[in-house]
Every structure is written in C-alpha cells, then in structure tokens.
Amino acid sequence: MEATMKNFFLFLSQSKSMNQVAKKWGLRFGASRFIAGETIQEAMQKVQNLNKQGLLCTLDHIGEFVFSREEAIESADYCVKTLDAIHQMGAASNLSLKLTQLGLDIDVELCRQNMRRILDTAKKYGNFVRIDMEDYGHCQQTLDLLAELRRDYDNVGTVIQAYLYRTEKDIEDLKGVSLRLVKGAYKESPEVAYPEKKDVDENYKKIIKMHLLNGSYTAIASHDDEIIEYTKRLADEYSIPREQFEFQMLYGIRTQSQIELAQQGYKMRVYVPYGNDWYGYFMRRLAERPANVAFVLKGMVTK
C-alpha cells in the first residue's frame, strides 16, 4: 500500500495541469506546513524565527516546468533577490536552486549565464549556493555544469543521491566539493537506481563515510534517526570535527529533532522552500512519508 501511494504521488508531482491548478489554490490543505510562504518576505520571517532557535537555513524559490527564456530569467531574478534579502536581514541562510528553473532544458548557455549572475551575487555577499540534483536524466548535465562553474567559483556545491548506482564513482570524482548527501526522491528505473530501500540505506552510509573521510564538507540531509546516529558515531570514531559536516532537514518535518540537534552542538540546517510554484515539491513530500498524507487529510477535514 505504501509503495502504491508513493508511486501515485510521484506520478501526480509530474502533472503540469495539476501544477497550474495548484497555483490557483494557494497554500491550502496542509501545503503551508512544508512551504514557508509564497513571497520572499514571508519566507524571510520564517528564516529569522528558525535562526533564533539556533538553526541555519537554505532558502529555495521553488518552481517546476519552466518553458521559456523569460520564465528562466525570472527564476534567476528571484534567486538574486533572495540573496539580497538574506544579506539585508543578516540571516544565517544559503541559497538552493534547480538548474531546470534557470533554463537548463531550454538553452544550456542561458542556464550558465543565469548561474554566473547568481554566483557573482552570492560571492559579493560571502554566501554559498547549492545546486539541487533532479532526476537521473539531468544528473550528468548538472555535474558537468558544476565542474565548469567551479573553475571560477568556490562558493557552489551540489547534491548527490544515494539511490543511484553511479553515486560511489561521483563521490570519488567530487572529493573536496561541498555536497549535500540524500537518499533520493524521484521515481527512477531499476536500471539506474537501487529498487530496495535496504540497498539505498547501505549505499547512503557508504557515501557519507567516503566523503567525510576524504576531508570534504558534507551535509547529511536525512530525517532517519539511524542515519543521524551513524554519522555521529562515525564522527566520534574518526575524530571528524563538527565544522566539517552538518545535518539538514526539511522545513516542517521533525521540527523538535532539528532543535535538539542544534542544542547538542551540531550544525543543523533547514531547507526552506517558498514561492507559488509549490505543487511538485509538495507532492514529493507526500510521496516520501504516509504521515504527511495523514496530516494533509486532517487539514482538509478541519478547514
């Protein structure tokens, strides 16, 4: 049943027509639990509240299905405005983004120009930009553009997904690069990704250990207690300084655990999405955990 629900919500996440309808709904039916607001101002207020609790943040102006150069440039503008707002408010936050929002599927050169404009702004403010990894079809393109950008910028990193067979080789190639390590949230073919959860979990532990022991900065993005405790033991066993890694969780999920990790002296960063193009992101959160679906259904009944 759980697998069926996951596949159902992943299928819905790719629906362009449902995405258009969702924009008209606004943040209703539980979406506001996982989305920090539709405007920069709303998101920044949430970031400030999180900072006051000892939590770091990374802001993402979420969006899906960019079809034109104008939309890609507009997305880049939002990224720049987000960096401006972080600087102006003195917030403890980085920026996260997706290359498809910036025109990767339209024109690689357009995407490259947008990224350089964003990275120039981040560099001016002494900030960092994380390129989110998308589905397998965009993986190599993302890593190729990252390698190119890193010739001129040291304030950019990406995300590596443990469920892909190629991941161990990618970790070897990305030694010294700041990486967010995740299990993976897209529906992929068993030809390119581990179909069994136990295999994904084991590969996740393997790449966490590899990247940390390489001396590379590592963000462990997980809500899984077993993974979090594994990382703590690994750091203690190999005397890995806490400055070399951080934990990351999603906005609205396991909030108390986030605060507890920060209180224990670990760097804890919250991924904070905002914007009106929230539908695809929201569907993937529902696919990940049945408890999220129950929360949404409860919200629909009580409204």
Side-chain angles (χ1 to χ4, degrees), residues 13-33:
S13 74
Q14 298 173 350
S15 171
K16 298 174 184 178
S17 59
M18 286 296 294
N19 184 62
Q20 293 300 316
V21 173
K23 284 184 178 181
K24 297 178 182 179
W25 289 348
L27 295 175
R28 301 174 187 170
F29 309 129
S32 59
R33 179 181 180 179

Side-chain angles (χ1 to χ4, degrees), residues 76-104:
D77 289 342
Y78 266 103
C79 290
V80 170
K81 290 175 184 176
T82 302
L83 287 167
D84 290 339
I86 291 170
H87 176 72
Q88 290 162 7
M89 301 190 74
S93 180
N94 296 153
L95 175 73
S96 292
L97 54 78
K98 287 181 173 61
L99 293 181
T100 53
Q101 284 179 268
L102 304 180
L104 183 63

Side-chain angles (χ1 to χ4, degrees), residues 50 54-60 92-98 127-133 156-160 177-184 204 208 211-212 216-229 231-232 242-262 265-273 281 285 288-289:
L50 291 166
L55 302 170
L56 305 171
C57 296
T58 182
L59 271 163
D60 183 3
S93 180
N94 296 153
L95 175 73
S96 292
L97 54 78
K98 287 181 173 61
N127 211 333
F128 179 84
V129 177
R130 178 82 62 192
I131 299 174
D132 287 338
M133 189 59 72
V156 60
T158 193
V159 179
I160 293 296
V177 179
S178 173
L179 297 177
R180 176 197 295 147
L181 304 183
V182 303
K183 291 185 182 181
Y204 195 22
I208 289 170
H211 207 54
L212 284 173
S216 306
Y217 193 84
T218 308
I220 300 92
S222 178
H223 304 100
D224 186 335
D225 284 330
E226 182 181 349
I227 295 297
I228 292 168
E229 293 304 316
T231 303
K232 290 179 179 179
R242 293 189 180 184
E243 293 74 23
Q244 192 192 322
F245 68 97
E246 65 184 48
F247 294 108
Q248 294 190 359
M249 294 188 191
L250 300 174
Y251 177 80
I253 299 179
R254 301 204 63 188
T255 303
Q256 187 57 40
S257 295
Q258 297 172 12
I259 294 171
E260 289 172 0
L261 283 167
Y266 293 99
K267 285 200 282 185
M268 175 65 232
R269 190 177 301 275
V270 184
Y271 180 93
V272 182
Y281 175 88
R285 299 295 76 77
E288 285 174 350
R289 298 179 71 236

